[in-house]
Amino acid sequence: MKSMNMTEEEYWNDFAPAQYQKILSEQNLSQALVSERKLKQGDLGNGIIAYKQQLLQEAITSKKVRIMDSSVYPRIMDYTNNRYQFFGESEHWEAKYAYQGTEIRREVDRRTTYSNEDSYKFTLKYKGPLEELSPIQKLEYSYETKGGNGKRIERFAEPPKEAVFTSEGSSKGGAKVSEDEVIQVNVKWDGFEESFELRNKNK
């Protein structure tokens, strides 16, 4: 207790209960896995490591992680990972909107909390040869989802060196993009304008 800079009262009231709860949780987990015949009694250490690897692979495949037994671990967690790609094109332009979002639900002390965060990358590409963009002085493009929109203006003092333009961002707690979303895109450049839609080809 002295090395931890704690009084005896602080140790037994604050530190010890949490450590004891952790030990009980680990014991409950081992006993539950043995009773379900997922582990052998004599090989708990290596068995738990192998079982955790199995759970990880299953989570990657299904994109969901769920722990539903509060006697094993004092939280209920639901983790969902969404990855979608939306594609579309017009006469002169093609675009891709890559989206990744995570949703996490936890239950602690009978309270359920929810959090989500996401990131995206919008890629716009001119379909013709780069030389056709040589006279361009201004490029303006925008994209709109149900949860929000983005807009970017680029000005050129000299001909662009590539025909690909990108915009990306991330947020926490914002509106999420659904897999069946239809994203509206508008492109304006030097007196020309084209609009088109991006859709998830896997839907």
Side-chain angles (χ1 to χ4, degrees):
M1 286 181 280
K2 290 183 179 179
S3 63
M4 299 172 67
N5 199 23
M6 286 185 178
T7 66
E8 183 174 353
E9 182 178 358
E10 289 173 336
Y11 176 85
W12 290 109
N13 289 339
D14 300 327
F15 180 78
Q19 291 299 103
Y20 182 62
Q21 183 182 19
K22 180 180 179 181
I23 293 172
L24 285 179
S25 297
E26 292 173 349
Q27 290 176 344
N28 288 339
L29 173 60
S30 299
Q31 291 172 2
L33 294 177
V34 170
S35 66
E36 294 176 7
R37 298 184 179 180
K38 293 178 179 177
L39 291 182
K40 294 181 180 180
Q41 183 71 47
D43 191 25
L44 294 181
N46 293 331
I48 288 180
I49 293 174
Y51 186 63
K52 288 167 70 175
Q53 290 296 324
Q54 177 186 336
L55 291 178
L56 174 62
Q57 292 301 319
E58 292 176 356
I60 292 173
T61 302
S62 65
K63 299 182 181 180
K64 286 182 178 288
V65 177
R66 292 186 180 181
I67 302 173
M68 302 301 293
D69 189 349
S70 59
S71 67
V72 172
Y73 193 75
R75 290 183 180 179
I76 298 176
M77 185 172 71
D78 185 354
Y79 172 89
T80 304
N81 184 28
N82 300 314
R83 293 185 181 214
Y84 309 131
Q85 290 191 343
F86 304 84
F87 300 89
E89 62 182 320
S90 62
E91 181 181 354
H92 293 92
W93 299 91
E94 61 184 21
K96 179 177 76 170
Y97 186 95
Y99 171 85
Q100 179 175 352
T102 58
E103 301 174 71
I104 303 176
R105 287 182 176 84
R106 296 185 179 92
E107 184 173 323
V108 183
D109 298 329
R110 298 181 181 179
R111 294 182 179 180
T112 301
T113 63
Y114 171 83
S115 63
N116 73 294
E117 57 184 78
D118 56 22
S119 61
Y120 71 88
K121 182 175 182 179
F122 178 81
T123 304
L124 181 69
K125 181 180 179 181
Y126 187 71
K127 296 167 65 175
L130 179 61
E131 292 75 17
E132 291 183 0
L133 291 180
S134 296
I136 191 172
Q137 295 182 344
K138 178 182 177 183
L139 172 66
E140 179 180 338
Y141 59 89
S142 62
Y143 42 93
E144 183 177 354
T145 68
K146 293 179 181 178
N149 55 70
K151 182 177 181 180
R152 187 162 185 172
I153 299 176
E154 298 197 28
R155 301 181 186 276
F156 304 92
E158 57 184 30
K161 297 181 180 180
E162 57 182 0
V164 178
F165 310 91
T166 61
S167 176
E168 55 190 306
S170 61
S171 66
K172 291 185 178 182
K176 56 184 181 179
V177 173
S178 61
E179 61 180 334
D180 57 353
E181 190 103 12
V182 178
I183 300 175
Q184 305 295 329
V185 176
N186 179 263
V187 185
K188 298 179 182 178
W189 74 107
D190 288 352
F192 299 94
E193 181 175 0
E194 291 180 358
S195 297
F196 54 101
E197 297 178 342
L198 307 185
R199 296 178 182 268
N200 186 348
K201 292 185 178 180
N202 294 325
K203 280 296 293 177

